[in-house]
Every structure is written in C-alpha cells, then in structure tokens.
Amino acid sequence: IFVTGENQNYKVELRSSMYNEFGLGTQNDIRNTNVGTPYAEGLDKNSGASLRLGRQSKSTGGVFGRFDGGVAGWKLNKQVKLQAYAGSPVYSRAAKPFADGRLMYGASIDYTFPNDELSTSLYIMEQDIKKIVDRRAIGMDVRYANNRMFAYASADYDIFYKQLNLAYVSATWNYSLGN
C-alpha cells in the first residue's frame, strides 16, 4: 500500500507492505500475518528538511538493513545532505519494535558530485544491546552509477573494538553486443 500527496511546498508518503500466510493440507494450522515496512515520510521542499518514521530499510550511512525508528534529513543544496537516524535494528520481519534491547543511532553527511554519477557518504554510528556497545563505527560509502555501470564500495571501522568491521565492493557492468 502506497499513498502519496504533494503540493508546491510539501510531499507526504505513507507506505506499508504486508502478507498473510495460510497453510494447506496437513499444514492447515499455519496462520501468519505480518506487516513489513510501515512508515510515514514528509518533505519540506523549501527548506530541504525531511523526516521518515516507522519500520524502514536503509543501506547507506552505516545502517545495514531494516530498522524501527526515524531518519531526519536536511538537504543543504543539490550536492550536500545531512542525516541523523535512531532506532532499533530489526533482525526478523516478525520482530516487535524495540523489544530486544537493541538500539542504534548515527549521523552522516552525503555528497553527490555535480554530474550525479558519483556520490559519497561519511558516517558515524553506534549500536548497543542492552547498554553494551555492539558497534561504534566510522565509515564511508561510495556509489557510482551511469547507464552502463553501477559500483558500490563501503568501509566500516569499529573505533570501540579497534578493528575493521566491513570492507565491501560490488559492481555490475552492462555490456552490449553490437549496436
């Protein structure tokens, strides 16, 4: 379900995905209903300020997937965006929000180069499990995209445990035979 509305000053989005599962035959006792990503998002077009609240996915700025919480952003200009986020990582679609004592919070500065093909993100992030530090990291994401290639690289260093947490490079290239 996706509902959006906008005018010259504001844009609002409401989104939710869900499923129902019913077993058949000998599995007829299976009954699962689940809501995947319910969130609300608002954007003030004049100031560049945005806010998204709810269960959502993010794969930049040190966030590795789905979480319950919020992301506040401020687009300073076409190239620079500041973001702050806080919430609870979600490890299962059926997880209840904030039920397991896991918290995360962080901030990033994103820069998109003038040709829009190359963008970077510098971030600082912390994740705790019941007030014990799970991860305290600084890192960088780099993305390159054009009509023939997409590449993504990320490095994440844990400043609490003093070791590399993640180094990742992925690329796809579309090769065309003939014209």
Side-chain angles (χ1 to χ4, degrees):
I1 300 170
F2 176 70
V3 177
T4 186
E6 78 178 286
N7 62 21
Q8 65 274 15
N9 297 316
Y10 303 101
K11 182 176 181 181
V12 176
E13 292 182 11
L14 303 172
R15 183 180 297 251
S16 184
S17 64
M18 58 192 83
Y19 74 90
N20 282 318
E21 178 182 12
F22 297 99
L24 300 173
T26 60
Q27 301 292 319
N28 67 1
D29 62 335
I30 295 174
R31 299 274 192 271
N32 289 322
T33 301
N34 208 304
V35 178
T37 54
Y39 66 80
E41 182 171 18
L43 168 68
D44 180 335
K45 294 178 183 180
N46 297 319
S47 70
S50 62
L51 180 64
R52 180 188 283 189
L53 297 171
R55 182 164 286 183
Q56 55 194 291
S57 290
K58 185 169 170 50
S59 59
T60 60
V63 180
F64 302 136
R66 194 177 348 200
F67 70 100
D68 292 321
V71 177
W74 184 29
K75 196 162 190 168
L76 299 174
N77 55 44
K78 189 170 175 1
Q79 278 82 35
V80 180
K81 183 176 184 179
L82 304 175
Q83 290 191 29
Y85 31 90
S88 177
V90 174
Y91 294 99
S92 165
R93 189 176 184 123
K96 291 183 173 57
F98 298 91
D100 61 2
R102 297 174 189 262
L103 297 175
M104 52 152 274
Y105 46 93
S108 69
I109 182 167
D110 303 338
Y111 181 81
T112 302
F113 286 81
N115 66 3
D116 289 333
E117 291 182 348
L118 182 64
S119 61
T120 62
S121 177
L122 296 172
Y123 63 84
I124 186 161
M125 151 69 77
E126 180 158 332
Q127 286 181 219
D128 300 325
I129 301 174
K130 298 181 181 175
K131 299 186 181 183
I132 298 171
V133 174
D134 180 41
R135 175 175 161 240
R136 185 176 293 155
I138 57 171
M140 180 177 190
D141 302 325
V142 178
R143 292 165 299 287
Y144 177 82
N146 64 24
N147 61 352
R148 307 265 301 158
M149 180 181 188
F150 175 80
Y152 176 80
S154 182
D156 185 277
Y157 181 78
D158 195 307
I159 57 177
F160 185 80
Y161 293 104
K162 297 181 175 45
Q163 59 184 325
L164 185 66
N165 186 38
L166 169 85
Y168 181 84
V169 176
S170 177
T172 57
W173 178 46
N174 295 321
Y175 180 75
S176 176
L177 295 174
N179 294 355

mmCIF file of all heavy atoms in Angstrom, residues 76-97:
data_model
loop_
_atom_site.group_PDB
_atom_site.id
_atom_site.type_symbol
_atom_site.label_atom_id
_atom_site.label_comp_id
_atom_site.label_asym_id
_atom_site.label_seq_id
_atom_site.Cartn_x
_atom_site.Cartn_y
_atom_site.Cartn_z
ATOM 1 N N LEU A 76 21.116 20.532 2.154
ATOM 2 C CA LEU A 76 21.623 21.907 2.168
ATOM 3 C C LEU A 76 21.590 22.534 0.786
ATOM 4 O O LEU A 76 21.327 23.726 0.630
ATOM 5 C CB LEU A 76 23.048 21.940 2.707
ATOM 6 C CG LEU A 76 23.234 21.438 4.134
ATOM 7 C CD1 LEU A 76 24.705 21.394 4.492
ATOM 8 C CD2 LEU A 76 22.477 22.311 5.100
ATOM 9 N N ASN A 77 21.904 21.730 -0.234
ATOM 10 C CA ASN A 77 21.861 22.151 -1.631
ATOM 11 C C ASN A 77 21.792 20.891 -2.490
ATOM 12 O O ASN A 77 21.588 19.805 -1.951
ATOM 13 C CB ASN A 77 23.066 23.048 -1.992
ATOM 14 C CG ASN A 77 24.395 22.383 -1.675
ATOM 15 O OD1 ASN A 77 24.608 21.202 -1.954
ATOM 16 N ND2 ASN A 77 25.301 23.142 -1.080
ATOM 17 N N LYS A 78 21.968 21.009 -3.790
ATOM 18 C CA LYS A 78 21.857 19.842 -4.667
ATOM 19 C C LYS A 78 22.901 18.778 -4.363
ATOM 20 O O LYS A 78 22.668 17.593 -4.576
ATOM 21 C CB LYS A 78 21.972 20.282 -6.130
ATOM 22 C CG LYS A 78 21.658 19.191 -7.133
ATOM 23 C CD LYS A 78 21.549 19.751 -8.523
ATOM 24 C CE LYS A 78 21.365 18.778 -9.629
ATOM 25 N NZ LYS A 78 21.269 17.396 -9.392
ATOM 26 N N GLN A 79 24.054 19.166 -3.817
ATOM 27 C CA GLN A 79 25.138 18.224 -3.576
ATOM 28 C C GLN A 79 25.206 17.679 -2.149
ATOM 29 O O GLN A 79 25.644 16.562 -1.952
ATOM 30 C CB GLN A 79 26.500 18.871 -3.910
ATOM 31 C CG GLN A 79 26.871 18.856 -5.364
ATOM 32 C CD GLN A 79 26.220 19.979 -6.141
ATOM 33 O OE1 GLN A 79 26.039 21.065 -5.622
ATOM 34 N NE2 GLN A 79 25.843 19.707 -7.371
ATOM 35 N N VAL A 80 24.837 18.441 -1.133
ATOM 36 C CA VAL A 80 25.106 18.070 0.257
ATOM 37 C C VAL A 80 23.810 17.805 1.032
ATOM 38 O O VAL A 80 22.882 18.624 0.999
ATOM 39 C CB VAL A 80 25.913 19.175 0.978
ATOM 40 C CG1 VAL A 80 26.191 18.797 2.422
ATOM 41 C CG2 VAL A 80 27.211 19.447 0.235
ATOM 42 N N LYS A 81 23.803 16.666 1.731
ATOM 43 C CA LYS A 81 22.667 16.312 2.585
ATOM 44 C C LYS A 81 23.197 15.809 3.921
ATOM 45 O O LYS A 81 24.104 14.978 3.967
ATOM 46 C CB LYS A 81 21.807 15.228 1.930
ATOM 47 C CG LYS A 81 20.569 14.887 2.744
ATOM 48 C CD LYS A 81 19.693 13.889 2.002
ATOM 49 C CE LYS A 81 18.413 13.631 2.761
ATOM 50 N NZ LYS A 81 17.543 12.691 2.050
ATOM 51 N N LEU A 82 22.625 16.305 5.021
ATOM 52 C CA LEU A 82 22.939 15.832 6.366
ATOM 53 C C LEU A 82 21.807 14.913 6.825
ATOM 54 O O LEU A 82 20.637 15.201 6.548
ATOM 55 C CB LEU A 82 23.059 17.011 7.329
ATOM 56 C CG LEU A 82 24.056 18.104 6.967
ATOM 57 C CD1 LEU A 82 23.950 19.254 7.954
ATOM 58 C CD2 LEU A 82 25.460 17.559 6.911
ATOM 59 N N GLN A 83 22.170 13.823 7.520
ATOM 60 C CA GLN A 83 21.155 12.914 8.033
ATOM 61 C C GLN A 83 21.506 12.494 9.457
ATOM 62 O O GLN A 83 22.681 12.342 9.789
ATOM 63 C CB GLN A 83 21.044 11.661 7.174
ATOM 64 C CG GLN A 83 20.449 11.910 5.816
ATOM 65 C CD GLN A 83 20.111 10.617 5.103
ATOM 66 O OE1 GLN A 83 19.811 9.608 5.721
ATOM 67 N NE2 GLN A 83 20.154 10.651 3.791
ATOM 68 N N ALA A 84 20.481 12.294 10.255
ATOM 69 C CA ALA A 84 20.630 11.721 11.590
ATOM 70 C C ALA A 84 19.564 10.643 11.710
ATOM 71 O O ALA A 84 18.454 10.803 11.193
ATOM 72 C CB ALA A 84 20.438 12.781 12.671
ATOM 73 N N TYR A 85 19.911 9.541 12.365
ATOM 74 C CA TYR A 85 18.970 8.433 12.468
ATOM 75 C C TYR A 85 19.112 7.763 13.813
ATOM 76 O O TYR A 85 20.167 7.783 14.439
ATOM 77 C CB TYR A 85 19.155 7.421 11.332
ATOM 78 C CG TYR A 85 20.566 7.302 10.831
ATOM 79 C CD1 TYR A 85 21.448 6.399 11.389
ATOM 80 C CD2 TYR A 85 21.019 8.121 9.807
ATOM 81 C CE1 TYR A 85 22.744 6.305 10.933
ATOM 82 C CE2 TYR A 85 22.314 8.036 9.351
ATOM 83 C CZ TYR A 85 23.172 7.123 9.919
ATOM 84 O OH TYR A 85 24.467 7.042 9.481
ATOM 85 N N ALA A 86 18.010 7.190 14.263
ATOM 86 C CA ALA A 86 17.989 6.479 15.537
ATOM 87 C C ALA A 86 16.881 5.449 15.475
ATOM 88 O O ALA A 86 15.873 5.641 14.787
ATOM 89 C CB ALA A 86 17.741 7.444 16.690
ATOM 90 N N GLY A 87 17.096 4.342 16.182
ATOM 91 C CA GLY A 87 16.063 3.320 16.208
ATOM 92 C C GLY A 87 16.584 2.012 16.758
ATOM 93 O O GLY A 87 17.553 1.969 17.517
ATOM 94 N N SER A 88 15.952 0.932 16.322
ATOM 95 C CA SER A 88 16.281 -0.407 16.764
ATOM 96 C C SER A 88 16.398 -1.318 15.547
ATOM 97 O O SER A 88 15.444 -1.416 14.763
ATOM 98 C CB SER A 88 15.181 -0.928 17.694
ATOM 99 O OG SER A 88 15.449 -2.250 18.091
ATOM 100 N N PRO A 89 17.563 -1.984 15.345
ATOM 101 C CA PRO A 89 17.704 -2.902 14.214
ATOM 102 C C PRO A 89 16.648 -4.006 14.277
ATOM 103 O O PRO A 89 16.286 -4.470 15.356
ATOM 104 C CB PRO A 89 19.104 -3.494 14.392
ATOM 105 C CG PRO A 89 19.824 -2.531 15.265
ATOM 106 C CD PRO A 89 18.782 -1.919 16.143
ATOM 107 N N VAL A 90 16.162 -4.420 13.120
ATOM 108 C CA VAL A 90 15.152 -5.472 13.026
ATOM 109 C C VAL A 90 15.790 -6.673 12.343
ATOM 110 O O VAL A 90 16.233 -6.584 11.209
ATOM 111 C CB VAL A 90 13.924 -4.991 12.225
ATOM 112 C CG1 VAL A 90 12.935 -6.124 12.010
ATOM 113 C CG2 VAL A 90 13.256 -3.831 12.934
ATOM 114 N N TYR A 91 15.859 -7.789 13.060
ATOM 115 C CA TYR A 91 16.506 -8.984 12.526
ATOM 116 C C TYR A 91 15.509 -10.002 12.002
ATOM 117 O O TYR A 91 15.895 -10.995 11.410
ATOM 118 C CB TYR A 91 17.402 -9.612 13.595
ATOM 119 C CG TYR A 91 18.549 -8.704 13.928
ATOM 120 C CD1 TYR A 91 18.515 -7.883 15.047
ATOM 121 C CD2 TYR A 91 19.649 -8.610 13.094
ATOM 122 C CE1 TYR A 91 19.558 -7.017 15.338
ATOM 123 C CE2 TYR A 91 20.689 -7.744 13.364
ATOM 124 C CZ TYR A 91 20.643 -6.967 14.488
ATOM 125 O OH TYR A 91 21.668 -6.094 14.756
ATOM 126 N N SER A 92 14.222 -9.775 12.213
ATOM 127 C CA SER A 92 13.182 -10.676 11.736
ATOM 128 C C SER A 92 11.956 -9.851 11.391
ATOM 129 O O SER A 92 11.618 -8.904 12.107
ATOM 130 C CB SER A 92 12.825 -11.700 12.821
ATOM 131 O OG SER A 92 11.612 -12.348 12.525
ATOM 132 N N ARG A 93 11.310 -10.207 10.319
ATOM 133 C CA ARG A 93 10.110 -9.479 9.899
ATOM 134 C C ARG A 93 9.038 -9.494 10.985
ATOM 135 O O ARG A 93 8.245 -8.577 11.106
ATOM 136 C CB ARG A 93 9.592 -10.105 8.610
ATOM 137 C CG ARG A 93 8.513 -9.336 7.956
ATOM 138 C CD ARG A 93 8.127 -9.992 6.637
ATOM 139 N NE ARG A 93 7.139 -9.164 6.000
ATOM 140 C CZ ARG A 93 7.249 -8.651 4.803
ATOM 141 N NH1 ARG A 93 8.289 -8.923 4.075
ATOM 142 N NH2 ARG A 93 6.307 -7.895 4.309
ATOM 143 N N ALA A 94 9.023 -10.554 11.801
ATOM 144 C CA ALA A 94 8.010 -10.694 12.844
ATOM 145 C C ALA A 94 8.399 -10.005 14.153
ATOM 146 O O ALA A 94 7.632 -10.020 15.107
ATOM 147 C CB ALA A 94 7.746 -12.172 13.108
ATOM 148 N N ALA A 95 9.577 -9.398 14.221
ATOM 149 C CA ALA A 95 10.050 -8.776 15.465
ATOM 150 C C ALA A 95 9.159 -7.610 15.873
ATOM 151 O O ALA A 95 8.718 -6.824 15.038
ATOM 152 C CB ALA A 95 11.484 -8.297 15.292
ATOM 153 N N LYS A 96 8.932 -7.514 17.153
ATOM 154 C CA LYS A 96 8.186 -6.379 17.688
ATOM 155 C C LYS A 96 9.142 -5.195 17.835
ATOM 156 O O LYS A 96 10.294 -5.366 18.219
ATOM 157 C CB LYS A 96 7.581 -6.752 19.039
ATOM 158 C CG LYS A 96 6.462 -7.773 18.925
ATOM 159 C CD LYS A 96 5.862 -8.048 20.294
ATOM 160 C CE LYS A 96 4.653 -8.913 20.235
ATOM 161 N NZ LYS A 96 4.789 -10.185 19.623
ATOM 162 N N PRO A 97 8.678 -3.983 17.572
ATOM 163 C CA PRO A 97 9.547 -2.813 17.665
ATOM 164 C C PRO A 97 10.174 -2.643 19.048
ATOM 165 O O PRO A 97 9.480 -2.745 20.056
ATOM 166 C CB PRO A 97 8.604 -1.649 17.343
ATOM 167 C CG PRO A 97 7.493 -2.261 16.567
ATOM 168 C CD PRO A 97 7.341 -3.652 17.107
#
